[in-house]
Amino acid sequence: MAKESMKAREVKRLKLVKRYAAKRAALKEAGDLEGLCKLPRNSNPVRLHNRCKLTGRPKGYIRQFGISRIQFREMASKGLIPGVKKASW
């Protein structure tokens, strides 16, 4: 389980990315590097980190499902993910 403070930090970064997306695109198109430098650092989408939607775990993230490998395995074992059969893991 991820710390609540880490999850909150990611939410804050996501809000900043959404808020400055249009401004960032306009500055990039204009080639204004100085203007880009004045934007908050956390408004850059590169600083976002993928986290499991259920546990908040940052590592072993499966992008297609939006969850970590551990949660994927547990859900597949319970039959909650259609089309996935337990082989020999």
Side-chain angles (χ1 to χ4, degrees), residues 25-57:
L27 289 172
K28 270 190 175 182
E29 188 177 315
D32 185 10
L33 297 179
E34 191 174 316
L36 279 172
C37 289
K38 291 181 181 178
L39 293 178
R41 286 186 183 216
N42 285 335
S43 69
N44 192 342
V46 171
R47 293 180 79 105
L48 291 176
H49 200 93
N50 292 325
R51 289 186 173 270
C52 176
K53 302 288 185 216
L54 303 174
T55 61
R57 188 174 197 274

Side-chain angles (χ1 to χ4, degrees), residues 48-88:
L48 291 176
H49 200 93
N50 292 325
R51 289 186 173 270
C52 176
K53 302 288 185 216
L54 303 174
T55 61
R57 188 174 197 274
K59 297 181 179 178
Y61 180 79
I62 302 174
R63 192 177 295 227
Q64 184 178 359
F65 296 96
I67 55 177
S68 67
R69 63 180 180 80
I70 296 169
Q71 289 299 311
F72 178 82
R73 185 173 176 170
E74 287 177 5
M75 291 175 73
S77 294
K78 293 177 184 174
L80 299 174
I81 302 174
V84 177
K85 293 182 182 177
K86 184 173 183 273
S88 60

Side-chain angles (χ1 to χ4, degrees), residues 4-16:
E4 293 300 318
S5 60
M6 297 301 286
K7 291 183 197 176
R9 187 181 302 166
E10 289 296 325
V11 170
K12 184 178 176 183
R13 283 182 183 158
L14 184 61
K15 287 179 184 177
L16 275 173

